[in-house]
Amino acid sequence: MSSQQVYMLDITLRDGQQSPGAGMSFEDNLNYAQIAHNLRIDVLEAGFPSASNTDFAIVNQISKNMAAINSPMIISALCQLREDQVHRTMEALAPSLAINRARIHIYVPVDPELMSASLGKLAEDKPAIIATTHRLIKIMANADFEVEFSPEGYSRQRENFDFVTDLIRHAIAAGATVINCPDTIGGASQYQGEDYFVNKMAKHKAIMQQEFPDKEIIWSMHCHNDFGTALDNSLNGVFSGVARQIEGCINGVGERAGNVALEQCIMTIRQFGQGEHLKQKYHTNIDISYLKEASDFIAERMLPRQPHSPIVGKNSASHTSGGHINAILKNPLAYQPFDPKDIGSEISFVFGPLSGSNHAQQVITKLGYSFAESEKVTITQSIKDFYADRRKGVTDEELLLAYKQYRAPIKLEHLSYAKDDNDKTVVTFHGLFFTSHDFSIEYQGRGSALSALNKAVNNYLATTTVVDYNSHSAGHTVDALCISKIIIDLNGKRYNGEAEDDDIEISALKAFIDAVNNAYIEEHYKL
């Protein structure tokens, strides 16, 4: 059985940017068009040229850019049922027309409520609407533009079925080759029975095939997501054999609750379109390796993306459960419906309260430190205790910080120092100091508390020396914290330490301890 291509019409730059707060800069529009080209989008609706001079310039420049690289992607633009807009749109798409890849998408409302609200008195003159539709489409088709016609509000046409039939009939007779039947207000559901708009599409398609047997018409789905049914409706149109084109936005951006998410359509067709039980197999020509890039671009420059968004959301390929992670480490598809690498993403693990020791071991060894089997449970529990209040999980870098805290030979609880008139310095230490606990260090002669602590460290790490040290105030007030930075040398290698305290001497001592801990861990546990 042959497989039928489902065309993808990307309306992110048009319908997507009609969402409040979603508008992108001129350059971002052009850059997204290039991403759509890389993604192998079939048709890119670049905008609405008549909306403003800027919108005209965006569409025109995208048209020029894609023509310059001879992109196979058709560039489309939207216009209303007005002759001045038709000519303006034709002008904007002239570069694409020169390489036979220009489409004009013209629409007129057919939903009774929408007609009266949008068309005013014209809504009462249906023959005039039909005649104008035929005349304007003929202008575009005669100029060799591909024409897509949309009866806006198709899913809520109600008593207007015969009127819609006449509209579509005249649109096709005038030269339209794509008929788009939108669920404009996102309220359609298969639970409507015979009133379900996909069923009406099937009827209209059958009528047009009978009347125009020699014309190849592409029927298109354009679904909004107000009831969360946009994906279901779009795919019902395709898998029922009615539609061959889906119109949607990356990340499901768009007016109100958004349009159908294009990436969800693409991946669902990929996953289920070749099923043995299907009477007709389906595929797209999309290069899915660019899906994550396209999604990230829209998330950063248009509207934020929910972490749990299907296919492309941050959490869609992230795991924290210990059982899940153990399985995924053996087989990446154990808890994934598809390999995230296919869309340019990666499986990631977030360490949290439910994570296991295999996860902790995987992160730490990946970062280059030893993590023996015999100590997995102990270290993992120590990390969880370190972040006892972090129920939402920790980053890999934070996990490494907790690991180093566990490995640190010096675990300071409290530190103080004193110096008498005879130049004797006493440093009192509370906590773990290598193999000792809670002791005092005396240092006689010239030098500071830092010298005393350095001498004590040399009993465990011989040849440890301070090679650079500086302290500075974190502010300009008398009670500002002091920040100290220290570099030590151990066996010819240098290690950094940093700390802060109210007291300049204590901040230096803490920075030294930090550097010693770093040196010890690097010397003993670095793979």
Side-chain angles (χ1 to χ4, degrees), residues 176-387:
T177 56
V178 182
I179 303 298
N180 176 46
C181 301
D183 180 23
T184 304
I185 48 84
S189 168
Q190 59 183 313
Y191 302 119
Q192 292 174 287
E194 283 303 307
D195 286 334
Y196 183 42
F197 79 120
V198 175
N199 295 329
K200 292 186 177 183
M201 281 181 70
K203 291 179 181 179
H204 276 134
K205 181 177 181 180
I207 292 169
M208 298 308 148
Q209 283 178 332
Q210 186 174 11
E211 294 187 12
F212 303 97
D214 297 329
K215 287 185 180 288
E216 185 176 344
I217 304 300
I218 295 172
W219 294 77
S220 182
M221 307 301 299
H222 179 116
C223 301
H224 284 259
N225 205 36
D226 296 73
F227 278 92
T229 56
L231 178 64
D232 192 41
N233 288 334
S234 297
L235 295 177
N236 279 346
V238 170
F239 283 88
S240 66
V242 177
R244 282 197 67 185
Q245 177 177 278
I246 292 176
E247 309 184 8
C249 298
I250 291 295
N251 293 355
V253 296
E255 291 187 344
R256 303 183 312 277
N259 293 76
V260 70
L262 212 54
E263 68 277 2
Q264 294 177 28
C265 296
I266 292 163
M267 293 302 290
T268 304
I269 291 171
R270 179 178 183 263
Q271 189 82 351
F272 302 108
Q274 300 295 307
E276 293 298 327
H277 65 287
L278 296 176
K279 294 179 181 178
Q280 172 67 59
K281 296 184 185 297
Y282 301 96
H283 70 277
T284 74
N285 281 351
I286 299 299
D287 183 347
I288 63 171
S289 66
Y290 287 95
L291 272 180
K292 188 64 164 53
E293 179 186 346
S295 174
D296 289 347
F297 186 92
I298 294 306
E300 292 168 7
R301 291 170 170 81
M302 188 177 283
L303 288 174
R305 177 185 61 214
Q306 289 289 341
H308 56 271
S309 290
I311 311 298
V312 289
K314 180 180 178 182
N315 288 352
S316 66
S318 295
H319 300 265
T320 189
S321 163
H324 286 206
I325 291 168
N326 287 343
I328 290 169
L329 289 173
K330 298 170 186 173
N331 176 7
L333 295 180
Y335 279 98
Q336 291 284 160
F338 64 91
D339 191 339
K341 289 181 180 178
D342 292 344
I343 66 165
S345 186
E346 292 281 349
I347 292 177
S348 63
F349 303 133
V350 178
F351 190 87
L354 301 179
S355 299
S357 57
N358 285 337
H359 181 186
Q361 183 184 48
Q362 186 260 350
V363 173
I364 296 302
T365 54
K366 179 185 72 174
L367 294 174
Y369 294 86
S370 65
F371 199 124
E373 288 288 325
S374 59
E375 53 187 0
K376 277 168 56 174
V377 174
T378 304
I379 296 178
T380 301
Q381 189 56 54
S382 173
I383 292 170
K384 289 183 178 182
D385 292 342
F386 190 82
Y387 292 111

Side-chain angles (χ1 to χ4, degrees), residues 122-175:
L122 181 60
E124 301 170 10
D125 192 351
K126 291 177 180 176
I129 295 172
I130 292 170
T132 303
T133 299
H134 182 276
R135 182 175 63 83
L136 296 183
I137 289 178
K138 201 162 185 63
I139 290 173
M140 296 181 281
N142 287 347
D144 292 329
F145 283 90
E146 189 175 275
V147 180
E148 174 173 343
F149 174 64
S150 290
E152 186 187 14
Y154 180 94
S155 63
R156 209 164 60 169
Q157 62 189 270
R158 295 173 183 163
E159 69 272 13
N160 278 341
F161 185 87
D162 291 339
F163 166 57
V164 175
T165 304
D166 275 343
L167 261 179
I168 295 174
R169 176 184 291 125
H170 282 80
I172 292 174

Side-chain angles (χ1 to χ4, degrees), residues 469-490:
Y469 156 51
N470 70 81
S471 297
H472 66 274
S473 171
H476 301 289
T477 61
V478 292
D479 57 351
L481 287 173
C482 178
I483 298 174
S484 294
K485 296 181 180 180
I486 281 182
I487 301 175
I488 65 171
D489 182 284
L490 176 63

Side-chain angles (χ1 to χ4, degrees), residues 83-113:
E83 187 167 350
D84 59 333
Q85 288 196 16
V86 167
H87 290 289
R88 184 70 166 159
T89 308
M90 290 167 62
E91 182 185 354
L93 291 172
S96 296
L97 180 66
I99 60 170
N100 297 314
R101 296 191 186 99
R103 177 186 295 185
I104 298 178
H105 183 182
I106 191 167
Y107 69 97
V108 65
V110 298
D111 167 6
E113 293 181 42

